Amino acid sequence: MTVALVILGMLLGGSLHGFSGALLGGVAGYAIGILHSLKQKLHGMENEIAELRQLSKSRGSETAGMAETAKETPAAAAYPGEIPPEPISPDQSFAFEQRGEAACRKKEAAATAVEQQAGKPETPAPGGKYHAFTHPLVEKLNSFITGGSLLVKVGIVILFFGVSFLVKYAAEHELLPIELRLSGAAFGGIVLLLVGWRLRQRRDIYAQVLQGGGIGILYLTTFAALRLYSLIPHAFAFFVLVSVALLSAILAVLQNARALAVIGVSGGFLAPVLTSTGGGSHVILFSYYALLNCGIIGIAWFRAWRVLNLFGFAFTFVIGGLWGYRYYQPEYFSTTEPFLVLFFSMYVAIAILFALRQEPDLKGYLDGTLVFGTPIVTFALQGMLVRQHQYGLAWSALIIGLIYMPLAWVLFLKKSPHMRTLIEAFFAFGVVFATLAIPLALENRWTSAAWALEGAGILWAGTRQRKTIARSFGIFLLFAAGIAFLADAHRVSGGIPVLNSYFLGCVLLACSGIFAALCLHRQRENVGRLELIIGIALFVWGLLWWFGGGLSEIDRHMSRDFRMGSILMFFAITCSACDYLERRLAWTWASWPALLLLPLLYCTSLAVADGGLHPFSQAGYIAWPVAFAAFYRILHHHEWLHGDIRKGLHAGALWLLAWLLAMEMHWQGGNLIDGADTWSQAAWGLAPAIVILIISKLGQKVRWPVRENLGTYLSLGAGPVALAAWLWVLYANMTSAGDSYPLRYLPFLNPLDVTICIVFTALTVWFMSLRSAYPDSFTVGRIRVVLGGYAASLFIWINAILVRTIHQWSGIEFSLSPLFHSVLLQASFSIFWSLLALCTMVIATRSGLRTAWLAGAGLLVMVVVKLFLVDLSNTGSVERIVSFVGVGILLLIIGYVSPVPPRTEKEDQP
């Protein structure tokens, strides 16, 4: 209802008399709405009073009746058939009557108090049954308007505006001599002051309103006499304004009248706005505002009135800035800068004075605006004044930082516990502005960084004071700062490494996001689940800015000869710092970016491979050992992790080590021996074989990380490495010609075959170690599968040696079709397989291994099938004749020396 009346009043007043009419109409509509609301509440309270009176009367009669009954009724009649209670004595009856009468008197006193309260045109106390507002700001506004005498307050406001418009109207139409008009207005203000002072003891609220109106009128007339009509000299006007400001402060302090102080200050600040003609000197305006702020400082010396400080700040920086914005230009620097410095000093002093008497609520509606708003607004106005100077804003930021840090130190020396919050805020501002001076000295990219820092500060204050709105606004500023920075990211940055606005801006955004996440984490018991999720997002946001800024800086400024190593060192230092933060601050969120070092190392290794580099290039010979040392240090601090995660990290580090070693050996082999791919190809098998041998034979000598996690390193760690080595053996035997340039090719004594031999040795040692570590996991069936695969791999390798030897010595092209149609190779296969079968079956017969004998027999079947399907097509060559004769002789020998062994229990044992 009230809102509707306000809107209706503004519409009607605006249609009749423009802006001023809309303003007065809105005030009148609000007053009518409040009166209507009070009437409804008064009617409700009257009904409640009537109910209370009726209840008190019925309770009194009931009490008297109970007392008479207790005196006259015999106990036996009241309790027939039971043991009667003791009769009520006359003294007890008298006491009962007294308690009933006391209760009735208390009810009547309560009803009378409610009746008296209802007789006053005031709203019930906040929190009562009829209290309509719940928000603190609305409560204060409603209390200011409806507290005391509503009609008087509305009347004094209307009178103030009326006098203002009357002065302007009289000046425009020259109705009366100007001296008489101004004297009458001043006399009216003095009369209001005197009447209000006389009534201060009897009707304090009414008296304070009159005094406030009188002070405002004196401000208005003095300013008009000086600025509009030049009737009084500047010195006299200065004396009068100082006197009125001093009088206002004295009256407010003597009567402890915060409302009087606010009214007086508001009237003083609004005087130049209401009497403005669009011209005049900004020096006079700012001097006038400086005098008003001196009055606020004087009041702050005696009283800790938050609302007064806020009003002064808002009028000085907001209204004064909007009204005099055209003077915050470089051409007015000499006449505007002193006032800006003065205003900044005044409100820093006001914040300190307030903190000396009461601990500041840095997040609160008033104090947060004053403490955080003063440097931010001042810095923004300063930017308008010095924007044409190359390093003007940088010097300004440095000076502000040098002001705040000594102030924080001086306040810290006072050792006042309630000043701790203000000290932390001042110190934070000192560090922030001193830091901003560096990028601002190079480039003018400060808006995003300032937003991020302000957002972090507001969120910090919001977490300390448990204010959801402040935390939400701080989060909004943090993300808005990043978006604004990205919108300006295309602009060319400075050429100095690290000390340029782009990198330092990324650093400030990153630090702000990480600090905000830390604040939310520390107050996780007092914030909601959604805010915790946002905190994690802020942490990730900060890390992205940090990594993005760092990698961009390395790419733009680091020499190519050191680029990859610099990236590795950057990753290692960053993740180590996160590990330190986790342990130092008990911040579990920081553990995950610390453990992110291993995936980052994998990404770097892929970049190395994709760029045609080798791990030791670009200072990698220093960076990779440092990075692995940092990772294992981090991993040692996280042995408490879940078993699967911990095992995965240990195994992943071993895989990466084998991969890097293979890449480096591959590059070194190709670089040292140009023109021979076999040497570099052998590195892909030699490196994993070396890793497997070290883990299997020397791992137990290293207490951490191998011996304490030996099972993990042998199974999950070395297992994939062994698989990769075995797959490489198969691949190399199928694709490599075995060129050993510059050495002469010899079977078994060439780089490829020597490497394969080492791989088989490493696989054997690893399998034996793994079997010792997990004896229960290797059954007879599993062992047979492993041995079968091992034997098949050896068979492939020996045949590949035969193929490579035929290729190298006979000159047959190393490709599938020429080799398949080579008579020499096919005859060699037949004789070689027969000899191999002979050896296998003889050993199997002597050892009683029926399975091995059957394997040899199967190989012989393959030879016979091959002879009749492949070799029989061309029997005119010497090689085919030799193969048939040789195979036949070998079959006769096998039939004589190698009968089928009987099945024994020995074959069932592993």
Side-chain angles (χ1 to χ4, degrees):
M1 183 66 181
T2 304
V3 176
L5 290 173
V6 170
I7 296 175
L8 181 61
M10 292 180 67
L11 292 175
L12 293 175
S15 62
L16 294 175
H17 206 276
F19 174 77
S20 59
L23 183 63
L24 293 176
V27 172
Y30 185 83
I32 295 172
I34 292 297
L35 289 174
H36 178 71
S37 176
L38 290 176
K39 182 179 179 180
Q40 290 182 338
K41 294 176 183 178
L42 183 61
H43 180 69
M45 285 188 286
E46 288 175 350
N47 293 335
E48 186 174 357
I49 291 170
E51 293 177 0
L52 289 173
R53 285 178 172 174
Q54 184 66 28
L55 179 63
S56 63
K57 291 179 181 179
S58 61
R59 184 61 182 267
S61 59
E62 181 181 356
T63 304
M66 290 176 62
E68 292 295 331
T69 303
K71 291 179 180 180
E72 299 174 358
T73 304
Y79 301 93
E82 298 182 4
I83 300 176
E86 295 181 2
I88 300 176
S89 64
D91 293 338
Q92 291 175 329
S93 175
F94 177 76
F96 187 74
E97 291 177 359
Q98 293 295 322
R99 286 196 298 270
E101 293 175 1
C104 292
R105 286 195 300 270
K106 187 178 295 185
K107 290 286 185 178
E108 291 176 358
T112 303
V114 173
E115 207 170 19
Q116 293 174 354
Q117 182 69 16
K120 298 180 181 180
E122 297 179 355
T123 57
K129 180 176 180 181
Y130 298 100
H131 185 56
F133 302 104
T134 57
H135 194 278
L137 180 60
V138 180
E139 289 179 5
K140 293 177 181 178
L141 182 61
N142 186 62
S143 176
F144 174 75
I145 295 178
T146 61
S149 177
L150 175 64
L151 296 178
V152 175
K153 289 185 178 182
V154 174
I156 202 65
V157 171
I158 295 176
L159 176 63
F160 181 76
F161 279 93
V163 171
S164 302
F165 296 137
L166 176 62
V167 171
K168 291 189 68 175
Y169 182 82
E172 293 173 355
H173 295 80
E174 298 181 357
L175 299 179
L176 295 173
I178 187 60
E179 295 85 354
L180 181 61
R181 294 195 297 265
L182 293 178
S183 299
F187 179 75
I190 295 173
V191 170
L192 289 177
L193 275 174
L194 295 175
V195 173
W197 179 256
R198 291 289 301 271
L199 298 176
R200 70 186 185 280
Q201 300 293 341
R202 290 175 291 172
R203 303 182 64 180
D204 53 345
I205 302 297
Y206 183 86
Q208 292 172 14
V209 173
L210 293 181
Q211 293 174 63
I215 290 171
I217 291 175
L218 290 178
Y219 277 135
L220 178 66
T221 53
T222 305
F223 190 83
L226 172 67
R227 283 279 292 105
L228 298 181
Y229 310 109
S230 302
L231 296 178
I232 55 178
H234 287 187
F236 181 74
F238 178 83
F239 173 76
V240 172
L241 291 175
V242 170
S243 301
V244 173
L246 182 61
L247 177 64
S248 173
I250 293 173
L251 291 176
V253 172
L254 289 177
Q255 302 175 71
N256 196 21
R258 179 166 47 191
L260 176 60
V262 172
I263 292 173
V265 168
S266 301
F269 276 107
L270 287 173
V273 178
L274 295 173
T275 60
S276 172
T277 59
S281 171
H282 63 283
V283 176
I284 297 178
L285 172 69
F286 293 148
S287 301
Y288 176 70
Y289 275 15
L291 290 175
L292 296 178
N293 284 308
C294 288
I296 295 175
I297 292 178
I299 295 174
W301 187 269
F302 299 98
R303 294 284 187 270
W305 288 340
R306 300 178 179 178
V307 66
L308 182 64
N309 299 339
L310 178 63
F311 265 76
F313 175 81
F315 279 119
T316 300
F317 287 104
V318 180
I319 295 181
L322 292 175
W323 194 74
Y325 71 95
R326 63 180 180 273
Y327 300 113
Y328 287 99
Q329 305 294 332
E331 56 268 24
Y332 297 105
F333 178 84
S334 59
T335 56
T336 305
E337 177 70 9
F339 290 104
L340 183 60
V341 173
L342 179 62
F343 294 152
F344 169 76
S345 304
M346 284 180 170
Y347 280 94
V348 170
I350 289 173
I352 297 174
L353 288 174
F354 180 80
L356 289 173
R357 289 158 178 79
Q358 183 174 349
E359 181 178 1
D361 179 8
L362 290 180
K363 186 265 159 208
Y365 178 77
L366 305 181
D367 299 334
T369 303
L370 191 64
V371 174
F372 288 102
T374 298
I376 299 300
V377 174
T378 302
F379 196 57
L381 296 175
Q382 181 71 5
M384 298 170 62
L385 285 173
V386 300
R387 63 171 176 264
Q388 291 185 354
H389 300 278
Q390 184 177 4
Y391 300 108
L393 205 56
W395 283 110
S396 302
L398 180 61
I399 292 172
I400 292 176
L402 295 178
I403 290 174
Y404 270 111
M405 284 193 284
L407 274 177
W409 177 251
V410 171
L411 294 175
F412 175 76
L413 294 179
K414 294 180 67 67
K415 299 185 182 302
S416 299
H418 65 280
M419 297 282 289
R420 179 179 176 180
T421 307
L422 188 66
I423 293 171
E424 292 176 353
F426 278 11
F427 181 76
F429 275 122
V431 173
V432 165
F433 281 102
T435 305
L436 277 176
I438 299 175
L440 293 176
L442 302 174
E443 296 178 14
N444 193 22
R445 186 180 279 155
W446 63 273
T447 304
S448 299
W451 284 1
L453 293 170
E454 183 183 4
I458 293 175
L459 189 143
W460 164 74
T463 55
R464 290 177 64 90
Q465 303 299 326
R466 302 181 183 180
K467 301 293 184 179
T468 305
I469 296 178
R471 295 197 301 269
S472 302
F473 183 67
I475 292 169
F476 167 77
L477 278 181
L478 286 167
F479 286 113
I483 295 173
F485 193 91
L486 288 176
D488 196 43
H490 63 279
R491 188 159 52 87
V492 178
S493 184
I496 303 177
V498 179
L499 299 179
N500 59 79
S501 62
Y502 183 85
F503 176 69
L504 290 178
C506 291
V507 170
L508 292 176
L509 287 168
C511 293
S512 299
I514 294 172
F515 175 75
L518 177 61
C519 293
L520 291 174
H521 175 76
R522 286 186 166 179
Q523 296 292 329
R524 56 188 177 276
E525 302 295 335
N526 302 319
V527 300
R529 182 179 180 84
L530 178 60
E531 286 185 278
L532 286 179
I533 297 175
I534 295 175
I536 297 174
L538 282 173
F539 187 55
V540 176
W541 174 264
L543 289 175
L544 289 176
W545 279 107
W546 171 255
F547 281 110
L551 293 176
S552 175
E553 193 71 7
I554 292 172
D555 181 67
R556 290 189 299 118
H557 296 288
M558 185 58 64
S559 171
R560 183 176 178 83
D561 295 335
F562 302 96
R563 187 170 297 168
M564 199 59 65
S566 301
I567 292 174
L568 284 170
M569 296 293 288
F570 173 70
F571 287 158
I573 292 172
T574 298
C575 295
S576 298
C578 291
D579 176 58
Y580 173 77
L581 289 177
E582 177 206 0
R583 292 182 288 110
R584 181 70 176 81
L585 304 176
W587 192 11
T588 55
W589 292 0
S591 62
W592 300 112
L595 297 172
L596 191 66
L597 180 57
L598 185 61
L600 291 175
L601 296 182
Y602 268 100
C603 294
T604 307
S605 68
L606 293 176
V608 169
D610 183 65
L613 305 174
H614 61 102
F616 280 5
S617 63
Q618 299 184 3
Y621 56 90
I622 297 175
W624 281 109
V626 171
F628 269 99
F631 171 74
Y632 277 108
R633 178 178 175 82
I634 293 171
L635 186 57
H636 187 264
H637 295 151
H638 290 81
E639 283 296 303
W640 50 265
L641 286 172
H642 186 270
D644 293 339
I645 299 176
R646 187 182 70 253
K647 291 176 182 178
L649 291 172
H650 281 284
L654 185 64
W655 303 340
L656 179 60
L657 186 61
W659 160 250
L660 293 173
L661 182 61
M663 278 202 301
E664 184 62 32
M665 294 177 65
H666 171 76
W667 186 89
Q668 295 293 346
N671 186 57
L672 294 176
I673 307 174
D674 190 15
D677 295 336
T678 305
W679 294 90
S680 60
Q681 185 181 9
W684 296 112
L686 184 59
I690 292 173
V691 172
I692 293 170
L693 286 172
I694 292 175
I695 294 298
S696 302
K697 300 299 293 184
L698 304 178
Q700 292 187 353
K701 297 181 180 180
V702 182
R703 187 183 66 84
W704 192 91
V706 182
R707 190 172 67 191
E708 294 184 0
N709 302 276
L710 185 60
T712 300
Y713 275 91
L714 286 174
S715 58
L716 186 60
V721 179
L723 178 62
W726 176 70
L727 292 175
W728 173 83
V729 168
L730 298 180
Y731 175 80
N733 283 323
M734 297 295 182
T735 60
S736 178
D739 185 14
S740 58
Y741 175 84
L743 302 177
R744 182 179 176 83
Y745 178 82
L746 293 174
F748 293 101
L749 299 179
N750 59 79
L752 184 61
D753 291 329
V754 171
T755 301
I756 293 175
C757 183
I758 295 174
V759 170
F760 277 118
T761 303
L763 291 176
T764 303
V765 173
W766 167 72
F767 180 75
M768 299 302 295
S769 300
L770 187 63
R771 183 181 175 187
S772 300
Y774 298 97
D776 298 334
S777 299
F778 288 89
T779 61
V780 175
R782 291 180 179 178
I783 293 176
R784 285 179 176 175
V785 171
V786 172
L787 292 178
Y790 193 82
S793 302
L794 287 174
F795 178 75
I796 293 173
W797 174 40
I798 296 173
N799 282 273
I801 292 174
L802 177 61
V803 173
R804 287 191 289 268
T805 303
I806 297 297
H807 161 70
Q808 294 289 340
W809 288 358
S810 66
I812 300 175
E813 183 183 353
F814 192 80
S815 60
L816 181 61
S817 180
L819 290 174
F820 181 79
H821 292 91
S822 172
V823 178
L824 176 61
L825 181 58
Q826 296 300 331
S828 300
F829 272 144
S830 300
I831 295 175
F832 175 68
W833 289 359
S834 300
L835 287 173
L836 186 59
L838 172 63
C839 295
T840 302
M841 296 172 73
V842 169
I843 294 173
T845 300
R846 293 183 179 181
S847 302
L849 299 175
R850 182 182 178 87
T851 303
W853 190 94
L854 292 175
L859 185 57
L860 281 178
V861 173
M862 291 177 59
V863 173
V864 174
V865 173
K866 176 181 174 299
L867 285 174
F868 287 96
L869 292 181
V870 179
D871 298 344
L872 191 62
S873 61
N874 188 5
T875 58
S877 64
V878 177
E879 292 85 355
R880 297 292 171 88
I881 295 173
V882 171
S883 65
F884 270 85
V885 173
V887 171
I889 294 172
L890 289 173
L891 287 174
L892 294 175
I893 294 172
I894 291 171
Y896 178 76
V897 301
S898 181
V900 180
R903 183 177 183 87
T904 62
E905 295 181 358
K906 185 177 182 180
E907 295 188 71
D908 298 329
Q909 298 178 1

